Amino acid sequence: MIVVAVTRGEDAPAPSSTPAQADQPGSAQPASPPAPGAVETDLSGRQVIIPTNQSGDILSTSTDDGGTCEDIRSPRGLQIQRINQYPILFSTDTGPTRIQGSVPTGYADGPRGAVLAGANYLWLMQSGGTPGKDTVRNHMVVDDVFRETMEAELADGFNTERNNLGAPMAFKVRSCSDRAVVIDYAYDLFGDATGAFPEPKWIVQSILMVRDSNEWKLRFAEGTHTSRGVTENREGFTTWDM
């Protein structure tokens, strides 16, 4: 139903599908979850913060204007936080500026706000649980069938099982207006079935962000989200300022 950008390295273990049986003699004890405020690294070597609030720690309660279609740069003061076990981007000038329900939201009105919101809403939708439901309900433009399907399939609560998914490495704006922005996100891909790559390649996902109820929302319908495959060509992409 949902395309997931694969960022797991060939040597990294896949998340376990069964709980550890800690009460059996000789079994390994599960690792304790990292404490709030702890700093980890992702597979691309970037810092990832464990927030004190399970829905994220806001870095600023206001944004600038978000730029123009003719001048789109990376948000500044960026930090990756692990929200619902997924990597979400927070900035000091573009948002998010508040928590609504379980979802960090409140992004700059200009297209830079769409760029940051799109990366985060895409991952939060896929993270499932309460954040996934809240994202679909309040921060996406979808048809009734999709919304009802997600409501039925997603359980309430927050994830506890780790994964190795990473935040996007870079973005490219394909088209832009004050009402809609088409964005490509590039994620590190470390290998395939033949083995590890000498240098990471990028797997690219394209989405559509639209203005709805005076905020940026992820439009999710046939043709609005596209997997553009794997590339080594980084021309036209903007890397995050972090």
Side-chain angles (χ1 to χ4, degrees), residues 5 16-17 27 46 50 57 67 71 75 85 93 97-98 109-110 130 132-133 137 154 157 162 175 201 212-213 217:
S16 172
S17 60
S27 65
R46 299 171 297 180
I50 308 303
D57 293 334
D71 181 25
Q85 301 299 337
D93 70 349
T97 58
R98 65 183 187 276
D109 291 338
T130 300
K133 282 187 175 183
R137 288 171 183 151
L154 299 180
R162 291 287 301 276
S175 66
K201 298 181 182 182
D212 181 89
S213 301
K217 293 187 178 182

Side-chain angles (χ1 to χ4, degrees), residues 4-167:
V4 177
V6 179
T7 56
R8 185 168 62 87
E10 288 298 303
D11 295 329
S16 172
S17 60
T18 56
Q21 309 217 352
D23 55 343
Q24 299 211 0
S27 65
Q29 297 295 314
S32 298
V39 180
E40 303 180 324
T41 58
D42 64 13
L43 295 179
S44 301
R46 299 171 297 180
Q47 290 188 11
V48 179
I49 307 299
I50 308 303
T52 57
N53 183 321
Q54 64 180 350
S55 294
D57 293 334
I58 298 301
L59 302 183
S60 175
T61 57
S62 63
T63 70
D64 63 14
D65 62 7
T68 66
C69 291
E70 293 71 37
D71 181 25
I72 301 177
R73 59 166 173 80
S74 167
R76 293 189 173 130
L78 279 169
Q79 183 182 92
I80 304 172
Q81 296 183 26
R82 188 175 297 284
I83 309 300
N84 205 30
Q85 301 299 337
Y86 277 63
I88 304 302
L89 294 160
F90 289 70
S91 84
T92 56
D93 70 349
T94 305
T97 58
R98 65 183 187 276
I99 305 296
Q100 180 182 346
S102 64
V103 175
T105 189
Y107 294 90
D109 291 338
R112 186 167 12 94
V115 168
L116 196 60
N120 289 345
Y121 291 156
L122 186 63
W123 264 162
L124 286 166
M125 173 190 65
Q126 296 186 73
S127 75
T130 300
K133 282 187 175 183
D134 285 348
T135 300
V136 174
R137 288 171 183 151
N138 301 315
H139 308 290
M140 295 179 63
V141 178
V142 298
D143 61 35
D144 291 339
V145 173
F146 183 89
R147 181 177 288 104
E148 290 166 3
T149 299
M150 294 292 279
E151 289 277 358
E153 290 185 356
L154 299 180
D156 291 326
F158 281 74
N159 292 332
T160 57
E161 190 170 343
R162 291 287 301 276
N163 62 60
N164 291 316
L165 296 171

